[in-house]
Structure formats: structure tokens, C-alpha cells
Amino acid sequence: MRPQSQRLPYWLQTAKNKELCPNPQFIVGGATRTDIRQGGLGDCWLLAAIASLTLNEKLLYRVVPRDQSFQKNYAGIFHFQFWQYGEWVEVVIDDRLPTKNGQLLFLHSEEGNEFWSALLEKAYAKLNGSYEALAGGSTIEGFEDFTGGISEFYDLRKPPGNLYHIIQKALRSGSLLGCSIDVSSAAEAEATTKQKLVKGHAYSVTGVEEVDFHGRPEKLIRLRNPWGEVEWSGAWSDDAPEWNYIDPRKKDELDKRAEDGEFWMSFSDFLKQFSRLEICNLSPDSLSSEEVHKWNLVLFNGRWTRGSTAGGCPNYPATYWTNPQFKIHLDEADEDQEEDTSEPRCTVLLGLMQKNRRRQKRIGQGLLSIGYAIYQIPKELETHTDAHLGRDFFLGHQPSARSSSYVNLREVSGRVRLTPGQYLVVPSTFEPFKDGDFCLRVFSEKAAKALEIGDTVAGNPHEPHPCDMDGGDEHFQSLFEESAGKDSEVSANRLQRVLNGVFSKRTDMKFDGFNINTCREMISLLDSDGTGSLGPVEFKILWLKIHKYLEIYQEMDHNHMGTIDAHEMRTALKKAGFTLSNQVQQAIAVRYACSKLGIDFDGFVACMIRLETLFKLFRLLDKDQNGIVHLSLAEWLCCVLV
């Protein structure tokens, strides 16, 4: 990446009007990796991904449609396609590009009159909000947005023994590969080693080859620097003596002397010099050759919301269980089992991706630290899908697998091999109470069923009967007479005055009183004759409901502070007879919790009463009992204004 120390003034110029060159072309002689020359923007991660993309024509022309030209049917616009969180999105741009002194500022081709790569960079900048948003990133991000695939990461300080074979197989199957050298401080970024490798810089892996060197096999790997210059100067570099000791025909085939940023090095040097390798495996949705392995894919879109589904990592057991939960069924083992496994296994690739964070950089919302854990579901809970598994489950069970760490990348992903069975996947941020949208992808070698736990919505609240009141008839009668008017009906104002008078005398809880709107909601729920007030029987039922809700509330108010945490509402609602989806839980947290995510008793009762009213209305309107109601605008307004 090449960060600018200051903003440069630039002009938007178009190639077609001969402002940049007399004979502009979209693509000259095919789109190749030598068309990728970095400019003044710190997006080497993106350029490394584009360079890898050019190695697979079918993938490339999915992103860069062929039917475009500065001559035929030219309209001043170009279009590109990118994968975004489960779907392909088309981005249309004009052909005006940022320049200074008549030269392109950012990505450009080695050919002065070729513009496909510069226009592709502009379209990707538009997708993400600006050119500035592209500064800094991981090659994985570009890989996935160009293919819809899923990436794996390898720490080259601890490589698996078969890594060369993995790379060889990945290149053969059309996967995209990138690598880089870690830096320990900002001062090291883009520092060049003695052998001309750039630290903190994204390289593409473009080939591997095994040669006969001094009578023994030597594994080589080919890399490319998207700058188009600054090449490795060690063993097997362009002018290295090692080339003189292999078959001359092989040398002619492999030895690339052009200063295009591409070079060979031994695989052993690669492992010593580089820190990380990223491989993007193609998804079922990627255009690819028949040789490419086809993974089965299940995709979920979800959200972490403060106070309802943003529970943080397992370090926070009080909230961790409130995170979204997904169940996967692995019923069929892989056909090819590794030799060291004693029982059948299922290969699963999991990818947890946070959405739209690059676009939100300009408003100060950086990447969250994210991760996931996988738990095997015991037999007795395999049919449990209507509500979240609770805190006790996670206190009593350890994960079968998890992401390697919580990290602030757009996506964390990994390959796991699990025995057939049912598993629970819990995606989370490291800290609780962090808002964010995410996409969870589950790739499996064999088809796997998956569903989100807790997507059910049902309500069966406690319905008290007036005869449930024991021994308090005299007190209740005096209370009713105190609150009722001459017509023996209790209005909202009178109800508020009496309830607040009673609760102000309690010493076992802190409570500032019921809001008048809460009292109106109470009357709306039980006002069977439409008078806007309650008779003695209705008042008694309400009194019993309030006491039931008080029991639940005090049970959840562990520290007796007069509020409960919003994330505890899931448990409280269950005790009150409600099973709600994550979406509804999130709406409740937004509507009833304060800025510190607390809910007082007034808000708690208002929420419960409102839910009871809504479920009651829905049952009345669902005449066919099929879970669907059809409303006119007038009917809809009457419902929401109740």
C-alpha cells in the first residue's frame, strides 16, 4: 500500500474525449496480471486480488463483463459485478478517472491506453462509498467480493505439512491466493527487506512448480507484487545463478525476466520470508471449471443489537447466550476420509462476515472484533428449536471448535472436521453491546440442513381469573371504590393515581410510577365494551396481571436496583409466556430500554401489556387460523392506534 502524506489535488478526466490518450481501449490483448499497476492509493490488498482474478477467465469476466468498449455502443458508462453478502450486485460508473498532470492517480495498466483495471477500481470504490474507503485491507476481502467464495488463512510460521500440496490443488482448481509479511509497528509498513520484499504489502500467488535441481526436487512458488516492480532478489530471482542448474527448456518456460513485479522463489524461502497465506475457495455460485470442487452452501443474514442479541464472547456469560444461534445438521460423512481419523467426519467451512463496515469508516465505525464457536447439541436437545439455548447450557458445555481468535477483520473463517450430528453455531463480537450486521456462511462437502434457533413467534400469557384472588377481597374492594368514579368505572387517570399510590408504599423495589400511556395500554387490553375504562371484574384481572408481572420482574432484578438489563428480557418474556424471534427482541430493546440498556418496571409492564394486546388482536383477525392476516389501511390504523 502507498499511503499519501497529504491529499493531492486531482482532476476527473475521461479517456474517450482524448483527454488521457488518443486511442483508449477497455482491454488490450486480454486482461492479464501485468495490467495491475498500483497508484497513490493504499489498496495493494485489492490489487493483489485483481491480479489473481486474471488467472481465471471465467471468474474475471463475471466481474468485468466482456461486452464493453470505448468504441462499439459506447455510452460513457461501464458496468461491473461484485458479490455482496449472498447476492451479485451490479455497479455502473461513468468513465471519468482521477488524474494529476494528465496521469492516472490510482490503479493503471502497463499499457497506457488500457482502462479496464482503473475502471474496475473506481466501481469497487463506488460500492464501498469512496476511494478513501479502500485504503488498507485484506486480500481475502477482494477475493470474496470477486467470487462469492470463502477464504482460509494459514500462519506460515506454523504451516501444515501438506501446505505445498494445498496451494498446488488450490491453483489448479481456480482458487485465488494471496500472501504478506507481518509488521510489528507502523514504522515497518512498506519497509523493504535486504532481498527486496515489501513488509505489510499484499502479494498474489500465481503459480507453483517442482524442478530438478542438482539431482534433487526443488519446490518453487511464483509471486507477484502489484506495484509491477520491486522484486525478490534472493535464490531463484530473475538473475539468480540457480537457473543455470536446471533443464534449459524448463528454465525458458519458467524464467520471467520482465520487470512486471512477478518472480519465483523456493518454497522453503517463501515459508521463511512470508507470514501469512490466504486462499479463497470457490462457492457453488462462482463461475468455474468443472475441476473446481463444489461446496454446498447455507447462508444466514443476522444482526447484533445492543440489549438483545449483542452478547459478546464467552468471557461474558451473563450475556453470551443471547447472541444469535444457528443449528446445523451434519447427517452424511465425507466420501474421502483422512487416514488418521478413527471415525467418519464431515468437513465444514464456516465464514462469519461483518457487513458494510468499510462504507461506515467515514462515520467512525471501524471493524468489530468477531469470532464464532461451535457446540455439539446433546441428543435430548436435538428437537429444541423454538427458543435460545440458555446460560446454563453454555456454562455446562465446551465448544467442539471455534474460530482461532477474535479479530477485527471483515470475515473470520475456518475449516473444521466434525463427527456427524447436530451442532450449534454462535457468532459474536468480542465485547457485548456492539451493534452490527453480519452474514454467516456454512459450506459443507455434503449437503447440510441449517436453521436459525429462536425464529418462532408465539404468545401464551398467563390469564388470571377473578376467583384467583385469595383473602384480599376487602382490600381490593376498597381500592376499586377509591379509584372508580360514580359510574363504577376506572379511567386511565384514576388508574394511574391509584396504582402509583399503592406502589409508592412498597419498600422492596425502586419505582418512579406508571406513565399515563402505560395505564391507557392496560385499559385498552381489558376494555371489552369499548368505554375506555375498566369495570370491577376487568380491574381485578388487571390487578392480578400486574402482580404476576411484578413476580417475574423482581426475580430478574437481581441487584434490587429497580431496573433489569435489556438482555434479561428474553428470559423474562419466556416466564411470561412469550416466545419471540431475534427481530422482535431487537425491536423491544430499541423501544423499551434506556440509553444504558435498563428497563424499569413501568417499561416492563408496558411491554408485556402491549404484547398481550397485539397477540389478542392478531388472533381475532386471523380468521382462518393460518398465521396470516389481511388488513385494509383503515383496519391497520385501528390496530396500531389501539
Side-chain angles (χ1 to χ4, degrees), residues 46-120:
L46 175 64
L47 276 51
I50 297 173
S52 292
L53 184 66
T54 62
L55 299 176
N56 186 315
E57 272 200 358
K58 290 186 178 180
L59 290 175
L60 172 69
Y61 292 120
R62 171 70 177 265
V63 177
V64 186
R66 293 173 183 265
D67 58 339
Q68 304 187 81
S69 166
F70 282 96
Q71 289 78 34
K72 185 179 178 181
N73 298 324
Y74 174 74
I77 59 172
F78 292 88
H79 64 108
F80 300 86
Q81 294 186 84
F82 304 104
W83 181 90
Q84 289 286 281
Y85 318 118
E87 62 181 358
W88 286 90
V89 175
E90 182 150 308
V91 177
V92 178
I93 57 166
D94 61 35
D95 66 350
R96 297 178 69 77
L97 295 165
T99 64
K100 186 179 183 185
N101 299 325
Q103 300 295 317
L104 292 178
L105 265 180
F106 304 139
L107 172 58
H108 54 279
S109 173
E110 189 175 36
E111 300 286 342
N113 65 334
E114 183 178 39
F115 292 96
W116 74 267
S117 57
L119 292 166
L120 172 62

Side-chain angles (χ1 to χ4, degrees), residues 8 231 457:
L8 296 173
E231 297 183 13
V457 176

Side-chain angles (χ1 to χ4, degrees), residues 568-618:
E568 294 175 320
M569 279 295 284
R570 192 183 297 272
T571 302
L573 287 160
K574 187 175 181 180
K575 290 178 180 293
F578 296 105
T579 300
L580 303 176
S581 66
N582 284 338
Q583 189 176 9
V584 180
Q585 296 280 355
Q586 290 162 357
I588 286 173
V590 170
R591 171 66 179 83
Y592 293 101
C594 68
S595 60
K596 296 181 178 179
L597 300 180
I599 297 178
D600 62 14
F601 187 55
D602 174 63
F604 181 78
V605 172
C607 175
M608 296 298 175
I609 293 292
R610 184 65 174 160
L611 283 171
E612 283 203 43
T613 301
L614 293 172
F615 273 97
K616 179 180 175 182
L617 275 172
F618 192 90

Side-chain angles (χ1 to χ4, degrees), residues 130-148:
S130 66
Y131 276 107
E132 186 178 22
L134 303 186
S138 166
T139 307
I140 281 178
E141 192 172 339
F143 283 169
E144 294 184 336
D145 287 350
F146 295 152
T147 68

